Amino acid sequence: MTEHEKAILITGASSGIGEATARRLAADGHRVFLGARRTDRLEELSQEISNDGGTAAFRRLDVTSAEDMRSFVAAGRAEFGRVDVLVNNAGVMPLSPLEALRVDEWDRMLDVNVRGVLHGIAAALPVMRAQGAGHFVNVASTGAYEVVPTAAVYCATKFAVRAISEGLRQESAGGIRVSVVSPGVTESELADSITDPTARDAMTAYRAVALPAAAVADTIAFAVSRPPEVEVNELVVRPAAARTR
């Protein structure tokens, strides 16, 4: 249990890294406010956390809507009295070669992976500035450091998350901290959104060695748990058995 309980908002909390992060941070003694589109899963997760002695609440959230994100942050603040941490975790990964011209999927990645993070910053930054403290944890990917075939647009969105995060860090004086957590291949539902057959088959083989989502949650918990005078800017976590993932 932590000595410094925080109010933590998590996007994309209905599965994968978001769900694991909610469980880990609640177990550490933090209060978690969960957002995602699948409210049935959020309700079940919140109940399980409460049954285990933690504190959790939830609200439906579509990160592609700036208004929805503002309402989510406002609801989290009303629930817990403040917003200490926002974990911008929601993401999609419908990989495909550029020549497949899946423009709708490109747009979806830009909307969720980039605009979703920007909407989170726009909603939470004024609250954190008013408090005099706060912490953004933006989940990127090892795709933020390299580009591979079928992943050009996905990697571009994750490069953008790193760039936005670094800009926010440089512009944020005082008590507002910014961390980027970049996982390698991780057990999650991200690959379920891949519709291109070639990319889907490649990802099946690629994911043969993967991190458990709990390992990424542990990394996020580390960043969140640092004392106020310490800012962990970037953490990259990969499966130990995979040299290029």
Side-chain angles (χ1 to χ4, degrees):
M1 297 290 288
T2 182
E3 296 180 3
H4 304 287
E5 174 191 282
K6 295 179 180 178
I8 302 179
L9 280 57
I10 305 170
T11 73
S14 61
S15 65
I17 292 170
E19 177 185 350
T21 299
R23 294 184 187 278
R24 169 59 197 269
L25 294 176
D28 285 349
H30 300 296
R31 298 170 293 167
V32 295
F33 193 74
L34 314 177
R37 291 178 300 162
R38 295 177 291 188
T39 54
D40 55 334
R41 292 196 179 189
L42 295 180
E43 183 175 15
E44 181 179 355
L45 176 57
S46 295
Q47 188 60 56
E48 289 176 4
I49 288 172
S50 297
N51 291 344
D52 289 337
T55 301
F58 69 93
R59 179 186 175 94
R60 187 187 185 282
L61 171 63
D62 178 357
V63 300
T64 69
S65 166
E67 179 57 37
D68 219 25
M69 181 64 83
R70 283 192 294 269
S71 297
F72 173 71
V73 170
R77 186 185 188 188
E79 182 74 26
F80 296 140
R82 57 187 294 112
V83 176
D84 295 305
V85 182
L86 173 61
V87 181
N88 278 312
N89 165 71
V92 294
M93 190 183 68
L95 306 182
S96 65
L98 289 172
E99 67 180 9
L101 301 179
R102 296 179 185 268
V103 177
D104 289 347
E105 293 183 353
W106 302 347
D107 289 343
R108 179 66 177 162
M109 281 188 278
L110 289 168
D111 284 343
V112 175
N113 299 357
V114 181
R115 290 190 179 91
V117 170
L118 290 170
H119 292 163
I121 292 169
L125 186 57
V127 176
M128 293 180 182
R129 288 203 185 282
Q131 293 171 170
H135 190 177
F136 289 94
V137 179
N138 297 330
V139 178
S141 164
T142 53
Y145 299 84
E146 62 180 352
V147 180
V148 297
T150 76
V153 178
Y154 175 75
C155 292
T157 66
K158 294 305 182 177
F159 270 78
V161 170
R162 281 187 67 212
I164 292 164
S165 300
E166 175 60 12
L168 179 61
R169 184 193 70 81
Q170 292 184 22
E171 294 173 9
S172 297
I176 296 177
R177 300 184 293 175
V178 183
S179 301
V180 178
V181 175
S182 295
V185 60
T186 304
E187 295 170 359
S188 73
E189 297 179 0
L190 265 182
D192 295 350
S193 63
I194 299 175
T195 60
D196 182 83
T198 302
R200 186 171 58 242
D201 291 346
M203 183 53 63
T204 299
Y206 187 72
R207 292 169 67 86
V209 178
L211 287 168
V216 184
D218 291 344
T219 305
I220 293 171
F222 172 80
V224 168
S225 68
R226 297 307 87 197
E229 67 274 15
V230 177
E231 180 181 48
V232 176
N233 296 135
E234 295 194 45
L235 290 166
V236 178
V237 54
R238 294 183 171 94
R243 296 293 86 189
T244 60
R245 302 178 186 184

